[in-house]
Amino acid sequence: MKKKKIFFLKIVVAFIVLILIASICSFWYVNKTFISFEDGYDNRTDILELTIDGYTFLDRNNNNKLDIYEDDREVIADRVLDVLSQMTLQEKIHLLKGTGMASTIGMTKPDGIPGAVGAIVPTPRLGIPTVHLSDGPAGLRIEPSRENDNKTYYCTAFPIATLLASSWNEALVYEVGNAMGKEAKAYGIDVILGPAANIHRHPLCGRNFEYFSEDPLLSGFMGASIVNGIQSNGIGTSVKHFVANNQETNRVLNDVIVSDRAMHEIYLKGFEHIVKRSQPWTIMSSYNKINGVYTSESEWLLTDILRNKWGFKGLVMTDWYGGRSPTSQISAGNDLLEPGTNRQWKALTKAANNGELSMDAIDKSVKRILGLVFKTKKMQNYRFNNSPDLKKHATITRNSAAEGMVLLKNEKSLPFTNKKNIALLGITSYEFIAGGTGSGDVNEAYTISLEEGFLNAGFRINKTAKQIVESHRKVNPNGFIRPQGLDAIFTPFSPPEISYSTDQINDIVATSDVGVLTLGRNSGEGGDRLEKDDFLLTKTEQEMIVKFSEAFHKRNKKIIVVLNIGGVIETASWKHLPDAILLAWQGGQEGGNSVVDILSGKITPSGKLPMTFPVNLSDHDSHKNFPKNPKMITIEGLVKNLIFPPSETPKAEKVKDEDYTFYDEDVFVGYRHFDTKDVAVSFPFGFGLSYTDFDYSPMKLEIENDTINILLHIKNIGAFPGKEVVQFYTEKLNSTINRPSQELKSFTKTKLLKSGENDEISVKIPIKELSYWNETINDWSIEEGEYTIKVGGSSRDIRQAIRVSL
Ligand code: BGC
């Protein structure tokens, strides 16, 4: 018996020892492969200044001479060539991949930036510094606190990209970009990983909030404005995810099966506008494949189209761990592998040594990377102060958020005419959502809830409604714990909704002047949304709307619904119930103040929809080919996939909408489908109400060489000051090809017009923008004949149309 026990004990001890050894080995492997493998390549901080012939410079390679690359007076191209000529092959290859994950998980070197998710490696022998990359589209995402440091490093949570696009205001979006760039500069970040410019192909893509629109022109113009704003500070951008990354389900393996025409007219077009209008420092290739080829390994995309056709001058980096073959990536023109692994380093070294990776490809990519490094503040030895003007940026985010909120309905209820007792209903009124989750999140210092917004503006908050929320919190303590740290990345915070009893409803209505009911939605990277209980309202939400609307109306009082959401939801079945609906989107950290600025009439709403709100999801032509059973990525799953990259599913076992997705709707995305097929929608593309009305003067049109010049006047004929978004669509009459019935070709927003004031609108549409992608000749073609040029307040509110012959 004793022997048996000892034997058993020995087995247990051996097992524990084995597990310990396996754990140590795994940790060592993970650390040396993904986290920290940069031994000997530390950023140099000891570079000395030298003065020769009255010129002071940093003697980066310590040779007591002024090299061309050390001379700030020389042009960057020459400096790059000089340093390239001094680099060893090993140093060049080293530069092609990032430094690993250490700083993402807070394990930074002393001069690192915790939370900055990537870096361009330094070349210490030549004194080339580390360059820091950080998310993302709604503001910087760095760790707000640091070990042994009392200072905080909060960043401003600006409105989500969808809201910015809803402003249709390029100058305003530039200003937001400018503020983001200033924050990056203050925190030592050199490149912001954004904006994200994928098309809203289907309402349920989990990352739509990071993206602008279902329309490539609006998407491209907004993207370019933000890039120009950020880059005006000498801070780079990485426009992502290039391209056709329109679902999160199986995003690293998904193969997009799409026509060349849809690629050019819809998915590439927005990026083309951005490249041509703003020349971003970098582009981030996406995870997915296109017609069988990973975007990061596609020479057609990254070299033929992006560089040769569009004239892109910057570098291309991968999405994090995107693609499979480092050699194919560099050869295709994907210059930088982020965040970088030791595996990639070894694979590139091997490929360079055996000739699989050409010296020419290596040099091209290294030159592009160095070109960026030389433009950064790091190379100019700029001393960042970690003190951005967060106060000023709070005002910028507040105003920009208000300008992108869309008034969907208003039956003589808004703005509020006096300071009322407001019944705030629904949990989201008290737990306002600033933005989505994942890499598009921001670590902001605070988020102004709707409750705080009303209080700040001097309104009274109904106590009965508030007490119900307090008790609800007490009985559901776990539902209100916000996910923290890594967990927060893939877990949207969604506290349980309140189920109001009839007595509670009656009490609230009796003691308040007006009801404001907020519906919230939160989603993000790593998962698509569901139809049930997400696109469609939950049963509790439906009941809230029905019962509160009935109760308020019985007492002749109004009820307003506020939508604090990141993506489209169903509205057709219930929109007749409340008196007003404000689509507040996710308005950043000042969201509650921005909503109250609109409800109180301080700001007249002027946002318009950058996508269609359909009646049913299935009305979208893309719905037949979009994942219906999405699964959310987990951190464990992510780590597993990193260590053991999932292998390709055998052809016969591939699952539709997961392993591959057919883009059968072709160019008929969003309103291009709804308007062509005349499908009823809940709210059309470009729609949004104001507190005032606008008159459109007769449009004057003139064709000059290759441009259509349009001129008209917009007059504010209502009682409130306001701005109008003016949209220009074109239609080819009697087209011989299957074209959308109309497409947005230009837009503008008036200045703030006082009652009775006029604004002159003048836009130019290049005729070549009316062409379609002709697959027979593999190029753009312009159809000759009759077109109509339309102007309107939405895709379904066309005020005038003029025929032209081209
Ligand atoms: C996302 C990118 C992001 C990167 C770094 C990836 O998972 O797709 O948008 O920039 O992570 O956080």
Side-chain angles (χ1 to χ4, degrees):
M1 193 61 196
K2 212 175 167 190
K3 260 188 182 171
K4 254 189 179 173
K5 258 192 184 166
I6 291 175
F7 178 71
F8 183 69
L9 221 78
K10 275 185 180 166
I11 298 254
V12 171
V13 170
F15 195 65
I16 293 174
V17 170
L18 264 177
I19 290 185
L20 264 174
I21 294 175
S23 309
I24 292 170
C25 288
S26 312
F27 177 76
W28 181 85
Y29 177 75
V30 169
N31 190 39
K32 281 291 153 213
T33 309
F34 302 105
I35 300 177
S36 183
F37 46 83
E38 284 289 298
D39 311 333
Y41 275 98
D42 283 341
N43 190 36
R44 276 209 12 234
T45 46
D46 59 348
I47 303 171
L48 297 178
E49 259 185 9
L50 217 64
T51 304
I52 293 183
D53 294 338
Y55 178 68
T56 304
F57 63 97
L58 287 171
D59 185 19
R60 295 180 179 275
N61 58 4
N62 220 4
N63 65 354
N64 290 318
K65 281 201 310 221
L66 173 63
D67 292 78
I68 296 174
Y69 85 93
E70 292 165 342
D71 191 340
D72 288 341
R73 298 165 300 183
E74 298 286 347
V75 294
I76 287 184
D78 292 344
R79 298 175 73 191
V80 165
L81 282 182
D82 181 44
V83 77
L84 190 77
S85 70
Q86 301 192 32
M87 286 176 98
T88 64
L89 176 63
Q90 199 204 7
E91 282 166 341
K92 289 180 186 177
I93 292 175
H94 177 242
L95 204 59
L96 300 175
K97 44 54 62 262
T99 51
M101 273 305 248
S103 95
T104 312
I105 52 178
M107 291 168 57
T108 39
K109 307 232 165 95
D111 58 343
I113 302 169
V117 77
I120 296 178
V121 296
T123 307
R125 189 180 63 87
L126 299 170
I128 306 295
T130 310
V131 160
H132 293 95
L133 323 172
S134 173
D135 287 311
L140 278 192
R141 189 170 69 93
I142 58 171
E143 285 296 319
S145 49
R146 297 181 186 171
E147 240 174 79
N148 307 322
D149 185 350
N150 290 334
K151 194 176 155 51
T152 53
Y153 298 80
Y154 286 114
C155 298
T156 307
F158 293 96
I160 56 170
T162 305
L163 182 151
L164 292 178
S166 307
S167 77
W168 297 63
N169 185 337
E170 290 174 86
L172 174 121
V173 174
Y174 177 97
E175 200 191 350
V176 170
N178 186 15
M180 282 181 188
K182 287 200 159 56
E183 255 168 61
K185 192 167 153 186
Y187 281 135
I189 297 294
D190 305 286
V191 177
I192 294 181
L193 303 173
N198 294 101
I199 290 291
H200 292 186
R201 171 179 175 255
H202 186 277
L204 297 191
C205 169
R207 290 185 88 171
N208 273 356
F209 75 95
E210 292 185 62
Y211 307 148
F212 297 107
S213 169
E214 68 185 22
D215 180 83
L217 181 111
L218 182 59
S219 186
F221 281 31
M222 290 294 140
S225 303
I226 211 156
V227 169
N228 282 328
I230 295 172
Q231 293 193 169
S232 66
N233 294 284
I235 299 297
T237 54
S238 190
V239 181
K240 61 194 190 182
H241 310 89
F242 191 62
V243 59
N245 183 176
N246 307 103
Q247 68 180 58
E248 285 299 287
T249 303
N250 203 22
R251 62 177 181 168
V252 293
L253 286 175
N254 182 254
D255 188 6
V256 170
I257 312 294
V258 58
S259 75
D260 266 7
R261 179 168 171 217
M263 276 299 286
H264 282 90
E265 290 186 25
I266 306 292
Y267 298 103
L268 288 168
K269 193 70 197 174
F271 285 93
E272 181 182 350
H273 282 306
I274 296 179
V275 167
K276 292 185 172 164
R277 294 170 79 87
S278 64
Q279 200 53 257
W281 287 16
T282 93
I283 296 269
M284 186 190 293
S285 54
S286 55
Y287 285 124
N288 54 290
K289 292 174 233 165
I290 295 193
N291 299 326
V293 183
Y294 281 107
T295 60
S296 60
E297 298 175 12
S298 168
E299 194 174 347
W300 168 70
L301 268 178
L302 307 183
T303 299
D304 298 350
I305 293 182
L306 187 59
R307 295 190 163 104
N308 298 347
K309 284 224 164 81
W310 299 350
F312 175 62
K313 302 266 182 298
L315 74 85
V316 176
M317 67 174 80
T318 57
D319 197 345
W320 267 229
Y321 302 110
R324 280 299 161 95
S325 157
T327 308
S328 308
Q329 289 174 314
I330 303 298
S331 307
N334 192 116
D335 314 294
L336 178 62
L337 311 181
E338 282 297 334
T341 69
N342 209 357
R343 273 185 198 160
Q344 291 168 329
W345 194 356
K346 286 183 185 152
L348 290 172
T349 308
K350 191 169 158 208
N353 289 336
N354 68 20
E356 241 177 90
L357 182 60
S358 71
M359 207 51 230
D360 180 52
I362 296 173
D363 277 352
K364 269 191 187 143
S365 290
V366 170
K367 269 197 262 177
R368 292 183 191 127
I369 295 171
L370 289 172
L372 182 141
V373 174
F374 275 87
K375 282 199 273 190
T376 60
K377 299 280 163 208
K378 291 282 155 49
M379 197 65 189
Q380 293 153 19
N381 223 16
Y382 174 79
R383 302 254 172 251
F384 53 94
N385 60 9
N386 282 321
S387 296
D389 193 343
L390 294 178
K391 243 186 159 166
K392 186 168 170 199
H393 297 172
T395 310
I396 293 176
T397 183
R398 176 175 180 165
N399 293 339
S400 60
E403 183 141 350
M405 293 182 179
V406 186
L407 185 63
L408 294 176
K409 177 177 179 182
N410 187 15
E411 302 276 313
K412 298 194 177 72
S413 356
L414 293 174
F416 294 146
T417 40
N418 47 27
K419 300 263 189 275
K420 298 179 185 217
N421 179 308
I422 313 272
L424 278 178
L425 312 167
I427 199 65
T428 314
S429 294
Y430 303 84
E431 296 281 351
F432 227 50
I433 305 162
T437 54
S439 58
D441 191 14
V442 178
N443 295 316
E444 68 271 32
Y446 62 86
T447 297
I448 300 287
S449 69
L450 195 48
E451 179 190 14
E452 291 166 302
F454 274 118
L455 292 173
N456 290 345
F459 286 85
R460 276 178 299 129
I461 295 300
N462 182 262
K463 288 201 181 101
T464 319
K466 166 105 186 179
Q467 269 155 17
I468 294 168
V469 172
E470 294 301 308
S471 332
H472 176 69
R473 273 185 216 275
K474 276 193 194 126
V475 288
N476 297 286
N478 293 338
F480 287 86
I481 301 172
R482 280 181 187 269
Q484 296 297 326
L486 285 180
D487 220 20
I489 299 182
F490 297 119
T491 323
F493 173 60
S494 48
E497 192 48 274
I498 310 167
S499 207
Y500 295 88
S501 70
T502 310
D503 285 347
Q504 287 175 329
I505 293 176
N506 289 338
D507 280 357
I508 292 172
V509 175
T511 53
S512 63
D513 299 316
V514 63
V516 175
L517 192 165
T518 308
L519 299 181
R521 289 289 182 276
N522 205 356
S523 76
E525 185 170 348
D528 292 311
R529 295 169 55 212
L530 282 164
E531 178 162 20
K532 186 167 178 293
D533 293 345
D534 191 346
F535 175 72
L536 297 174
L537 302 197
T538 63
K539 202 161 160 271
T540 315
E541 290 170 333
Q542 285 173 30
E543 279 174 9
M544 274 201 305
I545 296 187
V546 171
K547 290 185 181 165
F548 274 114
S549 299
E550 214 174 79
F552 274 104
H553 291 160
K554 241 189 211 154
R555 288 189 177 242
N556 254 333
K557 296 179 184 177
K558 307 273 190 189
I559 170 148
I560 320 295
V561 168
V562 171
L563 301 178
N564 183 200
I565 58 182
V568 173
I569 63 166
E570 192 275 329
T571 49
S573 69
W574 57 268
K575 65 181 181 185
H576 59 286
L577 294 170
D579 301 282
I581 306 173
L582 178 69
L583 172 56
W585 291 124
Q586 293 165 344
Q589 67 185 45
E590 289 280 330
N593 283 333
S594 313
V595 169
V596 176
D597 285 345
I598 290 191
L599 299 184
S600 67
K602 186 175 160 201
I603 293 181
T604 301
S606 64
K608 299 225 182 183
L609 292 178
M611 82 295 279
T612 312
F613 270 54
V615 175
N616 306 297
L617 267 186
S618 54
D619 296 340
H620 266 281
D621 212 18
S622 56
H623 190 63
K624 299 186 285 291
N625 295 295
F626 191 82
K628 310 287 184 309
N629 301 303
K631 293 168 216 101
M632 191 75 194
I633 295 182
T634 58
I635 289 284
E636 298 76 37
L638 212 68
V639 173
K640 191 178 133 231
N641 286 353
L642 203 60
I643 303 174
F644 309 106
S647 47
E648 290 286 335
T649 317
K651 209 168 175 196
E653 290 164 33
K654 284 195 193 281
V655 178
K656 179 179 160 317
D657 302 336
E658 288 187 18
D659 294 298
Y660 59 91
T661 304
F662 289 125
Y663 280 31
D664 277 356
E665 71 285 355
D666 208 48
V667 298
F668 295 93
V669 175
Y671 73 88
R672 283 170 166 75
H673 164 65
F674 297 119
D675 291 352
T676 308
K677 290 276 153 65
D678 208 10
V679 180
V681 299
S682 188
F683 296 108
F685 177 81
F687 174 81
L689 301 171
S690 172
Y691 294 152
T692 189
D693 289 310
F694 298 97
D695 178 64
Y696 288 49
S697 78
M699 156 167 79
K700 282 197 192 126
L701 204 144
E702 178 189 271
I703 297 180
E704 196 184 12
N705 304 324
D706 44 13
T707 308
I708 304 168
N709 296 325
I710 304 172
L711 196 87
L712 79 156
H713 289 86
I714 304 289
K715 186 174 180 185
N716 181 351
I717 52 168
F720 288 84
K723 297 180 186 176
E724 169 72 330
V725 173
V726 188
Q727 303 159 41
F728 299 88
Y729 297 85
T730 63
E731 174 181 2
K732 172 73 186 78
L733 300 171
N734 308 315
S735 175
T736 52
I737 54 163
N738 190 15
R739 291 184 83 158
S741 63
Q742 56 179 6
E743 295 181 274
L744 183 77
K745 292 296 168 191
S746 186
F747 64 87
T748 187
K749 194 165 193 173
T750 64
K751 61 180 186 195
L752 182 69
L753 296 174
K754 288 190 221 109
S755 178
E757 203 184 347
N758 233 311
D759 198 9
E760 186 179 88
I761 299 295
S762 137
V763 302
K764 290 181 185 303
I765 302 178
I767 291 177
K768 68 173 177 16
E769 290 301 326
L770 273 50
S771 43
Y772 72 97
W773 184 261
N774 185 339
E775 290 187 345
T776 337
I777 60 163
N778 201 21
D779 204 349
W780 295 100
S781 270
I782 187 110
E783 277 188 287
E784 285 187 0
E786 302 270 299
Y787 287 77
T788 46
I789 315 291
K790 312 173 187 181
V791 62
S794 86
S795 77
R796 299 231 169 149
D797 171 27
I798 299 300
R799 306 281 180 99
Q800 297 164 45
I802 294 186
R803 273 186 181 218
V804 293
S805 204
L806 297 177

